[in-house]
Every structure is written in structure tokens, then in C-alpha cells.
Amino acid sequence: MFISSFSSYSRHHGRVQKYDLEMAQHPIRARMCGFGEKDRRPLDPPPVVRLRVRDENGDYMQSEDVEVWKFVVSATLWAPHTDSDRSIVVNPNTLPGPVPTYQSTSAVMSLSEPVKVRNLVGTTVSNAYLLKDENDEMNIFFIFHDLSVRTEGRFRLKFQFTVIPSEEAPRAFVESVTWSTPFDVYSAKSFPGMTDSTELSRAFAAQGIKITIRKNSRIRPYSSRPGGNPEDDRYPEDDYDNEVDMDYPASGSGHGIR
């Protein structure tokens, strides 16, 4: 059964707060990155989650008045109907199979156990960033700019918000959850290309966040799609406007968290 989101109340520095987690930008598609470690293909556009905080009266607080340094959101990969976790996958290169011997032309079966690896690759946890959106409004965001998926298929991302434990609150709980809409991960042959950079991504890049900005989308010509000529499967280089380091706080906010 699909769960859209949930929120809960907790006490922070003596104040009761309610956390509402919601999607600010959904991923649409990606090219599978396979089981190597070098060929990374990030989700496009990068998923972005927004957090809204209510006070004890149920009113939304100004983002600038919220202490965000202990806030984190984690991402996991799920089936599109949210009925099974797809974050782990077996590396097909480690499945049992015939292994040739050096003394003869015969083969023996490998008895090695298959190796399980993460299907969702990249930085799966984001700290909070206090940034302006495309409408110049300040909000608390969590940005997942380098997530990749190893296998093709249809998936959905689950995001869980928690507050890092402290002496005041030594135990951590999932305070709020939200889900992305389903997105498709394609093989190299069937991938239709990257989309245009969104206005939200451009707004973040202008504030010092590491998000690759493209002037033009890269749509694969029909000749290189399934049934076409693979020799024509060539792309021009991306035309980038901006790419800056996400490790630094957004300019002017002072609240970017490493």
C-alpha cells in the first residue's frame, strides 16, 4: 500500500515542533550505472526534499528561525508500489557459474557466495541547507545531487527525516517520511537523454550548491534508440552553465551543513 507521507511532533530545546517533509523536486529518469564504480549516472533531475516546521500552535515557523544543524534526511530505493526495498542487489558477475581450470579444458562450478551490493549508489544522506527556491523564498532543503541506480527498471525513492541525537534527546526517531513519484532507469541503448535543468536547480547553483546546470537537454536521436543504428549513438558534450562545490554553505545563508 502506498504511503504518501507522515509527520510527528517532537520536543526541540523545550519547544514542541512538528516536521512536514515533502518533495520539492522529483527525479524523472536516469541511465543505469551498472556494477562498475567509475561510470556514475545521476538521477535527473536531482531529487530535492523540503522540510516545513510547525510550532506548538500548528503554525509554520520561518525557516530562518529553525536550528537546522542536527537535521538529516536519508534515501532508500523501493519498488514503484512501495511494497519492497530495492536498495540492495546481487552483483551478477558473482553468481555461480563454470570456471575453467588451468590443467584441462574442463570446467568446475564456482562455490563462492554471490555478492550483494548497493543498488542505490552515491550519497544517500543529506544534511539540511537553508536556501532560496526559484520563487526567492527561503526554505529548508535536502539535496541528493549524485544518486545513481545500478540496474534498469521502475523505482521510487523513500526519504526519511530524523534529528541527530544529543544529550537532550539521546535517541533518534524517524520524524517524517515522504516518497518520490515513480521514475525509470534505462539501459545505455534505450536511455532517451538528459532533461533541461529545472529552475529550482538553477536557483541552488546560483547560491553555491554543486548541481550541474545544462543549457540544453540531451535527447537521443531516433537513429540511436532501440532498432536504430548503434553507430550513431553519439552525444555532443554537455554545455554547462555552472558547477560549484556543494561542501560549502550557500552564499549568504550561513546555514549550509557539511
Side-chain angles (χ1 to χ4, degrees):
M1 182 176 66
F2 171 63
I3 304 174
S4 58
S5 63
F6 80 82
S7 304
S8 66
Y9 283 97
S10 66
R11 187 172 295 275
H12 186 66
H13 288 292
R15 302 172 62 185
V16 176
Q17 295 179 349
K18 182 181 181 182
Y19 304 104
D20 296 336
L21 198 66
E22 61 188 33
M23 294 299 303
Q25 181 163 279
H26 295 269
I28 297 176
R29 58 180 177 241
R31 174 177 166 181
M32 60 179 284
C33 65
F35 291 87
E37 298 302 326
K38 294 183 179 180
D39 189 17
R40 295 283 302 281
R41 305 286 176 163
L43 299 180
D44 181 45
V48 178
V49 181
R50 179 191 294 111
L51 179 71
R52 298 183 186 274
V53 182
R54 298 177 186 266
D55 60 21
E56 57 270 23
N57 298 318
D59 299 323
Y60 280 121
M61 300 175 62
Q62 294 292 323
S63 298
E64 299 92 326
D65 296 333
V66 180
E67 295 185 8
V68 302
W69 65 277
K70 289 185 178 180
F71 292 174
V72 293
V73 169
S74 61
T76 50
L77 189 70
W78 287 70
H81 297 295
T82 70
D83 54 354
S84 60
D85 191 332
R86 300 291 174 85
S87 296
I88 302 297
V89 66
V90 172
N91 186 338
N93 299 322
T94 65
L95 291 174
V99 178
T101 63
Y102 293 101
Q103 289 75 22
S104 69
T105 57
S106 63
V108 296
M109 293 297 293
S110 171
L111 299 179
S112 301
E113 289 290 329
V115 176
K116 295 181 179 180
V117 295
R118 289 169 54 188
N119 198 16
L120 185 65
V121 187
T123 306
T124 58
V125 177
S126 173
N127 294 318
Y129 288 83
L130 189 59
L131 298 165
K132 291 183 178 180
D133 62 16
E134 70 275 27
N135 299 314
D136 207 36
E137 296 179 358
M138 193 71 74
N139 282 283
I140 302 167
F141 292 103
F142 302 85
I143 305 169
F144 296 83
H145 71 294
D146 71 339
L147 291 181
S148 304
V149 179
R150 293 189 187 276
T151 58
E152 63 180 310
R154 192 164 176 80
F155 303 96
R156 193 189 297 261
L157 290 173
K158 179 182 182 180
F159 296 96
Q160 299 183 96
F161 166 74
T162 189
V163 180
I164 297 175
S166 63
E167 291 185 5
E168 180 186 68
R171 297 182 63 185
F173 299 92
V174 175
E175 303 283 358
S176 188
V177 171
T178 192
W179 297 78
S180 75
T181 54
F183 60 90
D184 295 304
V185 179
Y186 297 86
S187 66
K189 274 189 175 181
S190 60
F191 182 57
M194 307 293 284
T195 64
D196 285 328
S197 295
T198 66
E199 291 302 316
L200 184 61
S201 293
R202 293 178 185 275
F204 288 166
Q207 296 170 79
I209 298 300
K210 183 181 179 181
I211 292 183
T212 299
I213 300 300
R214 290 176 296 277
K215 291 181 180 178
N216 299 298
S217 62
R218 290 168 47 172
I219 302 300
R220 176 171 292 189
Y222 284 101
S223 59
S224 64
R225 296 181 185 179
N229 183 2
E231 295 299 320
D232 295 330
D233 183 17
R234 301 185 180 94
Y235 292 111
E237 292 298 320
D238 271 333
D239 193 1
Y240 297 119
D241 282 335
N242 191 6
E243 186 170 349
V244 289
D245 194 346
M246 192 174 176
D247 288 340
Y248 292 94
S251 58
S253 73
H255 292 279
I257 308 298
R258 294 193 178 192

